[in-house]
Amino acid sequence: MTKLSVVIIARNEENTIAEAVRSSLFADEVLVLDSGSTDRTCEVASSLGARVLQEEWLGFGPQKNRAVSLARNDFVFVLDADERITQALEKEIMTILKHPEFEGYFVPRLNNFWGYDIKTCGLYPDYTIRLFDRTKARFNDVQVHESVQMKTTAGYVKNHLLHLAYNSIDAFIEKQNRYSTLHHKSKNKMKAMVNPAWTFFKLFILKKGFLDGWNGFVISKLYAQYTFWKYIK
């Protein structure tokens, strides 16, 4: 059986870190890399059996690369504090680790917005590489919207992880405002006028957000607002 480390980066996540760690305890190691929490994040994670280390914040891509480099095992699963490995996904991971056919695997993610699982607006299956051999792959060095880069072909797992994306609309707005600052584009008035409308149309109509009713409308509208912010900051 190939050994596995689940790696989590965190800062002030005392309200979410416990369930993230609990969902990961099937692994040979759970590593939490904290970046200056002032709440009980480290205490909670440590009490549940996680190995907790601390480093200064480097940005999302560099921080995850640092966390992966500190793991004790080469095969890692990178989990965010607001995500959960479901029991079905756990079983599938354990089966893969018996004889890994690929050096990395795309994992589907089910996003939950203020209590609702959203499978429209292009938000499902929301594949990202999360399970991989760290000697064969790494995150790109970007401040936000980081992703794992591989030179070889990645496989796919069937079962999703759960992402508790936002517990309120206010939380959604606050995070998207912060991310738009980190991921801003060059100021462009024309794109600021046109691209948000296209974003809304794409998510609500083409990606069938209307099937989620009011929630699909709100999500499409707020992502359109995020697009606007990126081009005016």
Side-chain angles (χ1 to χ4, degrees), residues 51-62:
R51 182 164 71 101
V52 179
L53 301 175
Q54 293 187 317
E55 297 270 353
E56 292 185 2
W57 178 248
L58 302 172
F60 282 99

Side-chain angles (χ1 to χ4, degrees), residues 123-186:
L123 293 172
Y124 189 83
D126 192 21
Y127 280 108
T128 57
I129 296 176
R130 295 303 189 91
L131 177 66
F132 60 94
D133 182 340
R134 67 177 180 181
T135 68
K136 306 295 183 181
R138 71 188 307 275
F139 284 92
N140 48 8
D141 290 320
V142 296
Q143 292 297 304
V144 68
H145 298 315
E146 70 289 349
S147 61
V148 174
Q149 307 298 304
M150 294 185 60
K151 293 183 179 180
T152 57
T153 302
Y156 285 80
V157 304
K158 296 179 180 179
N159 294 288
H160 61 246
L161 63 84
L162 177 62
H163 178 213
L164 303 175
Y166 307 99
N167 57 20
S168 69
I169 293 176
D170 284 342
F172 192 165
I173 293 172
E174 187 278 329
K175 186 172 183 179
Q176 294 304 317
N177 186 29
R178 177 160 45 90
Y179 273 31
S180 65
T181 300
L182 294 171
H183 195 239
H184 71 277
K185 306 288 187 178
S186 298

